[in-house]
Amino acid sequence: MTRKSMFTGLVVVAVVALAAVMVTSALAQQEQGRRGRGMMGAMMYLERSWTAVSFQLDCTGEQLELLRPTYRTALQTRADAVEASIEAQDWEGVRMAFTECKDSLDAKLQEVLTDEQWAQLEELMSAGMGMGGRRGGGAGGGN
């Protein structure tokens, strides 16, 4: 084997190895980002969904009255569970407190909201961490 072909072979191996490291790193970051967004979504679900219910879904007064005690209980239950988990340094417990809060709210929301309101809420909640989903005119709206 000539020196030139050996050098070319080493360069190819180095490039392939570098590409493999970069792809692996990118996939790991993407997966970590997905998990982080899921956790952040659960952490803020109570607040974001209450904002949507109160101001974005055209809920009736009756619907709001049905949901208010559920949100009050969810807020207190979540706060107590998070506090206990932090004191115990149980970080999985913290995550579970947020997840259980979201699940209990979802169950009641599906019961109280119309199918159209539920679909709109799902759209708003999946729109990212912004509070409004689609941007319209007004502050920060861009139109």
Side-chain angles (χ1 to χ4, degrees):
M1 190 185 291
T2 67
R3 228 184 244 190
K4 184 177 181 181
S5 63
M6 189 167 22
F7 178 75
T8 302
L10 287 173
V11 168
V12 169
V13 169
V15 168
V16 168
L18 181 61
V21 167
M22 290 173 61
V23 167
T24 302
S25 176
L27 290 174
Q29 286 177 347
Q30 185 178 22
E31 180 60 29
Q32 182 179 4
R34 249 188 246 117
R35 283 194 308 258
R37 279 193 302 276
M39 177 61 171
M40 286 303 291
M43 286 176 66
M44 297 301 297
Y45 190 79
L46 185 145
E47 291 79 3
R48 291 180 65 217
S49 64
W50 179 249
T51 299
V53 164
S54 298
F55 304 109
Q56 296 172 297
L57 299 180
D58 295 324
C59 287
T60 65
E62 183 181 337
Q63 286 175 308
L64 290 171
E65 287 303 312
L66 288 170
L67 291 169
R68 190 170 282 117
T70 301
Y71 274 88
R72 183 179 298 117
T73 301
L75 178 64
Q76 189 61 53
T77 301
R78 183 186 74 178
D80 292 345
V82 167
E83 183 179 344
S85 295
I86 289 173
E87 285 177 12
Q89 294 186 351
D90 174 14
W91 310 121
E92 179 63 18
V94 172
R95 187 189 70 75
M96 286 304 301
F98 288 111
T99 301
E100 289 170 4
C101 177
K102 179 188 179 308
D103 292 345
S104 71
L105 288 173
D106 274 350
K108 184 65 173 185
L109 287 163
Q110 285 180 336
E111 185 182 304
V112 172
L113 298 178
T114 65
D115 290 342
E116 182 181 304
Q117 288 169 324
W118 175 251
Q120 188 179 2
L121 177 65
E122 285 185 309
E123 182 182 327
L124 289 168
M125 295 297 101
S126 68
M129 291 306 292
M131 288 303 288
R134 297 179 302 266
R135 289 184 176 246
N143 278 356

